[in-house]
Amino acid sequence: MKKIILITGATDGIGRAAAEALAKQGHDLIIHGRSAGKLATTAEALRKTGADITTALADLSDLSQVAAMADQIAASHPRIDVLVNNAGVFKTDHTITDDGLDVRFVVNTLAPALLTLKLLPTVPLGGRIIHLSSAAQAPVDLQALAGARPMQDMDAYAQSKLAITLWSQHFAAQHPAGPASIAVNPGSLLATKMVREGFGTSGNDLNIGVDILTRAALSDAFADATGRYFDNDARRFGPRYPEALCATVAGAVDKMLKPFLALS
């Protein structure tokens, strides 16, 4: 059955590859990017598959732009079957936003959480929300999350990925009837721009990640996986995290998002 699927970070790497795979399967896509030129080029290429492609432009390091993009998408798409929060950042020349927050936490944790909450009314109970996690996970320093403590690249990245994983589990606990919220490590050191720039390696076959993202988005094997974390390196679901930990981190995230949830 044809689905309406929103993918963030769809102009590069695993996001673009997943978008191409889903377009070839006949699904309608909303693709997000932060470069208007790359977004237009990607949309043109994807439309050659015959799929219906809509574009959404925003810099996810600016939460006001995330909120505005969500409102625009909701206005044009009253139903979104699958949201894939794929966009992420590891290394950047500008690690602190104008609001004084670490860019890794903003893009990897706060933006996907905000997009999920803003678009929740458009996602049916049987829909799915996929959050890109990572095998790199580290205990979340709430002061760092709030921008009160500077972070090195790997620390910020690993903490931000655990934070969105914990947030996803807590969201699922708050919405037991759906939509499903699933965190996925698509595979370590895949052949993406992030891996090339961050680790200086060409990376592993990108299709490893594309396969698991499309399965998480559509396969019956993930129909009952809400609140779970799937580790594609181990090819299995990981154990659930303590709910008290999830609630603490998710509560801090949601508190930071309140001003942006009010924007419209």
Side-chain angles (χ1 to χ4, degrees), residues 4 6 30 54-56 65-81 83 114-123 263-264:
I4 300 171
L6 167 58
I30 309 163
T54 304
T55 61
Q65 289 192 38
V66 177
M69 180 181 74
D71 288 338
Q72 292 166 4
I73 292 172
S76 60
H77 292 79
R79 189 185 93 248
I80 297 170
D81 298 300
L83 164 59
L114 178 58
L115 196 57
T116 298
L117 294 173
K118 292 281 284 183
L119 290 177
L120 182 59
T122 72
V123 185
L263 294 176
S264 61

Side-chain angles (χ1 to χ4, degrees), residues 36-192:
K38 292 176 72 173
L39 195 57
T41 299
T42 302
E44 182 180 3
L46 293 175
R47 288 186 181 118
K48 293 178 181 178
T49 67
D52 184 77
I53 307 296
T54 304
T55 61
L57 179 68
D59 181 346
L60 299 193
S61 69
D62 182 341
L63 293 176
S64 63
Q65 289 192 38
V66 177
M69 180 181 74
D71 288 338
Q72 292 166 4
I73 292 172
S76 60
H77 292 79
R79 189 185 93 248
I80 297 170
D81 298 300
V82 182
L83 164 59
V84 182
N85 282 312
N86 163 74
V89 63
F90 173 50
K91 279 193 173 183
T92 175
D93 293 334
H94 306 286
T95 60
I96 304 299
T97 70
D98 291 341
D99 296 325
L101 300 175
D102 188 289
V103 168
R104 279 66 61 99
F105 273 117
V106 176
V107 175
N108 300 344
T109 305
L110 298 175
L114 178 58
L115 196 57
T116 298
L117 294 173
K118 292 281 284 183
L119 290 177
L120 182 59
T122 72
V123 185
L125 295 182
R128 298 184 194 178
I129 302 167
I130 311 301
H131 303 285
L132 265 285
S133 185
S134 172
Q137 298 182 10
V140 181
D141 181 335
L142 295 182
Q143 288 186 312
L145 172 64
R149 184 173 297 170
M151 301 288 291
Q152 297 297 316
D153 292 330
M154 181 52 80
D155 285 343
Y157 180 80
Q159 288 192 35
S160 70
K161 288 301 186 179
L162 178 58
I164 192 58
T165 304
L166 298 175
W167 189 91
S168 174
Q169 182 178 319
H170 186 67
F171 175 91
Q174 292 181 308
H175 301 85
S181 181
I182 306 165
V184 176
N185 164 31
S188 295
L189 299 178
L190 299 181
T192 64

Side-chain angles (χ1 to χ4, degrees), residues 2-3 12 64 92 123 155 161-162 211 219 226 236 244 253:
K2 180 185 291 188
K3 302 287 186 182
D12 279 305
S64 63
T92 175
V123 185
D155 285 343
K161 288 301 186 179
L162 178 58
D211 176 68
S219 169
T226 190
R236 63 174 181 265
V253 169

